[in-house]
């Protein structure tokens, strides 16, 4: 029995229509915010509803990380935009965001058997990279959907580079029968 695909992280961006944000001033006005410009050039804002982290750059770009659904990523971007607007202008909708985009969906899954990665690699060299002395997993680059899979001997699989949740689900359904052919006995 294979493990369910579980989305662990979605990375998305949104661009505010205001640039040159004063991050130091903004950090003083926001709860759950951290700004250490010598360490990182973005204001780190921890969101709770939904649970996510936003990196706010002075250019107006916001990167959302840690959401586990597209809906939560978009909601986090909207809430962060509204919060920044309210703290900068005093009005919730004075500053708006545009060009919301999801850049990466990361998920994990697995099969209930060990995989012979050496044989898998030898049969899929054109799409794989495997150097067990440097990294224990095999990297498999699937073309359709465009997803990168890290496959481990234990049967665990990490899926990344999806542009939507369905990409990682489809990729796992596609790779599962291939993995079964290389089940270690």
């Amino acid at each position: 029995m294979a493990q369910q695909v579980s989305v662990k992280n979605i990375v998305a961006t949104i661009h505010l229509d205001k640039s040159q944000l004063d991050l130091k001033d903004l950090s003083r006005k926001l709860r759950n915010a951290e700004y250490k410009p010598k360490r990182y050039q973005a204001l780190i804002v921890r969101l709770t509803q939904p649970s996510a982290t936003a990196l706010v750059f002075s250019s107006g770009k916001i990167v959302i990380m840690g959401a586990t659904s597209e809906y939560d990523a978009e909601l986090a971007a909207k809430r962060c935009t509204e919060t920044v607007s309210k703290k900068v202008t005093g009005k919730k909708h004075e500053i708006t965001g545009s060009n919301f985009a999801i850049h990466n969906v990361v998920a994990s899954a697995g099969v209930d058997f060990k995989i012979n990665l050496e044989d898998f690699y030898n049969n899929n060299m054109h799409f794989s990279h495997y150097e067990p002395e440097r990294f224990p997993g095999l990297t498999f680059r699937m073309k359709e959907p465009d997803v990168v899979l890290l496959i481990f001997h234990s049967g665990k699989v990490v899926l990344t580079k999806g542009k939507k949740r369905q990409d990682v689900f489809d990729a796992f359904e596609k790779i599962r029968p291939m993995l079964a052919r290389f089940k270690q006995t």
Side-chain angles (χ1 to χ4, degrees):
M1 179 88 185
Q3 287 181 1
Q4 289 282 64
V5 175
S6 174
V7 174
K8 302 296 183 185
N9 184 28
I10 294 179
V11 178
T13 57
I14 191 165
H15 298 273
L16 301 180
D17 63 2
K18 174 164 177 52
S19 61
Q20 300 311 315
L21 295 171
D22 182 346
L23 298 181
K24 188 174 183 180
D25 181 55
L26 194 54
S27 72
R28 285 190 229 120
K29 294 177 180 178
L30 289 172
R31 288 179 292 153
N32 301 328
E34 177 184 338
Y35 183 55
K36 296 182 180 174
K38 289 181 181 174
R39 203 172 99 209
Y40 195 67
Q41 290 297 309
L43 173 67
I44 301 168
V45 181
R46 308 232 187 270
L47 305 167
T48 54
Q49 293 293 324
S51 179
T53 299
L55 302 177
V56 181
F57 293 88
S58 62
S59 65
K61 179 179 181 177
I62 298 176
V63 178
I64 302 295
M65 305 176 299
T68 56
S69 71
E70 287 125 325
Y71 175 80
D72 282 353
E74 195 160 3
L75 182 59
K78 179 181 178 209
R79 290 211 170 130
C80 189
T81 299
E82 289 173 351
T83 300
V84 168
S85 179
K86 190 172 183 181
K87 297 301 179 185
V88 170
T89 68
K91 297 178 183 170
K92 193 175 184 181
H93 300 288
E94 187 76 18
I95 297 173
T96 59
S98 61
N99 300 326
F100 174 81
I102 291 175
H103 297 279
N104 191 10
V105 177
V106 180
S108 66
V111 292
D112 60 351
F113 52 84
K114 294 191 185 303
I115 302 162
N116 185 328
L117 294 179
E118 195 71 41
D119 287 351
F120 185 96
Y121 173 71
N122 290 331
N123 283 274
N124 296 283
M125 283 182 171
H126 292 33
F127 304 102
S128 303
H129 180 78
Y130 184 51
E131 292 182 65
E133 58 281 346
R134 296 182 87 202
F135 182 71
L138 177 142
T139 303
F140 183 83
R141 297 185 186 286
M142 191 174 280
K143 295 293 181 201
E144 188 57 41
D146 185 12
V147 172
V148 174
L149 299 93
L150 300 174
I151 303 166
F152 296 90
H153 171 74
S154 65
K156 300 288 184 210
V157 179
V158 176
L159 303 101
T160 186
K161 201 182 164 211
K163 297 297 181 214
K164 54 188 185 287
R165 282 175 64 95
Q166 195 59 48
D167 289 348
V168 295
F169 287 92
D170 292 348
F172 188 67
E173 284 306 309
K174 229 174 150 177
I175 199 74
R176 191 187 337 222
M178 291 175 69
L179 297 176
R181 292 196 337 249
F182 301 96
K183 180 178 181 178
Q184 192 160 26
T185 52

